[in-house]
């Protein structure tokens, strides 16, 4: 038993050195290459009539203001996929639900290579919450893009 206890540390060192040697010669475990994203950011900021008007993360709290980002998917080539759009706000008190809503999720079908808007427009007074708003687009493979905007009260 004493011999076994004396040999055990030597065996552990031997196994560790074999593992290191295999990795050195490329025979050990392979590191995965970083996966190319399937969704990319095109632009972001404030939009007017569907066109980017200002590149910014700062958004004035004003009715009719549209802010967010545009994205494009890269995979599958020549195909379509589903993208989950998540809009997270500081908290909106929806009068129809009489509850505070912090996020909204939708899923949309997209054509690979085509540009899509992921935006929010202040259409009602109760929607104009100041604070951080985060818009996220998540592709089917889990890759995502995210942009955070700071909604502020403009000087009158």
């Amino acid at each position: 038993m004493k011999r076994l206890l004396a040999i055990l540390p030597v065996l552990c060192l031997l196994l560790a050195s074999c593992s290191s040697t295999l990795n050195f010669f490329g025979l050990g475990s392979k590191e995965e290459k970083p996966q190319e994203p399937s969704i990319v950011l095109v632009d972001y900021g404030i939009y007017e009539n569907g066109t980017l008007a200002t590149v910014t993360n700062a958004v004035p709290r004003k009715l009719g203001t549209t802010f967010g980002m545009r994205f494009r998917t890269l995979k599958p080539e020549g195909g379509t996929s589903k993208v989950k759009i998540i809009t997270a706000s500081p908290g909106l008190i929806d009068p129809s639900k009489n509850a505070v809503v912090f996020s909204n999720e939708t899923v949309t079908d997209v054509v690979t290579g085509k540009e899509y808007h992921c935006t929010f427009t202040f259409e009602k007074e109760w929607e104009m919450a100041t604070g951080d708003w985060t818009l996220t687009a998540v592709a089917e493979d889990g890759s995502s893009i995210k942009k955070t905007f700071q909604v502020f009260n403009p000087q009158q």
Side-chain angles (χ1 to χ4, degrees):
M1 184 68 164
K2 287 184 180 182
R3 276 191 200 167
L4 183 59
L5 289 177
I7 295 175
L8 192 57
V10 174
L11 288 174
C12 289
L13 285 173
L14 181 62
L15 283 173
S17 67
C18 288
S19 175
S20 298
T21 305
L22 287 173
N23 285 336
F24 178 77
F25 288 109
L27 300 173
S29 63
K30 302 268 185 204
E31 288 185 31
E32 289 186 26
K33 294 179 187 175
Q35 184 177 349
E36 182 180 314
S38 61
I39 189 167
V40 293
L41 180 69
V42 174
D43 58 27
Y44 67 93
I46 297 175
Y47 296 86
E48 293 175 6
N49 300 319
T51 304
L52 182 65
T54 308
V55 176
T56 185
N57 289 330
V59 178
R61 184 182 176 269
K62 181 180 167 193
L63 276 176
T65 301
T66 299
F67 64 96
M69 60 186 173
R70 280 192 305 172
F71 67 89
R72 178 176 53 236
T73 56
L74 305 175
K75 298 175 186 174
E77 288 185 33
T80 61
S81 61
K82 294 190 181 303
V83 173
K84 183 190 320 182
I85 306 291
I86 305 165
T87 303
S89 72
L92 306 178
I93 301 173
D94 185 341
S96 68
K97 297 178 182 175
N98 198 23
V100 179
V101 178
F102 290 98
S103 69
N104 183 44
E105 292 184 13
T106 59
V107 176
T108 187
D109 291 320
V110 298
V111 176
T112 303
K114 187 175 175 190
E115 293 179 359
Y116 290 88
H117 284 117
C118 174
T119 58
F120 189 89
T121 301
F122 293 133
E123 296 175 343
K124 299 174 181 112
E125 282 287 332
W126 62 267
E127 293 175 328
M128 298 190 303
T130 57
D132 287 344
W133 287 67
T134 302
L135 302 177
T136 308
V138 183
E140 286 181 337
D141 68 355
S143 61
S144 65
I145 54 170
K146 177 179 0 182
K147 218 52 181 151
T148 299
F149 299 89
Q150 176 66 41
V151 175
F152 66 93
N153 285 320
Q155 298 296 328
Q156 301 286 333

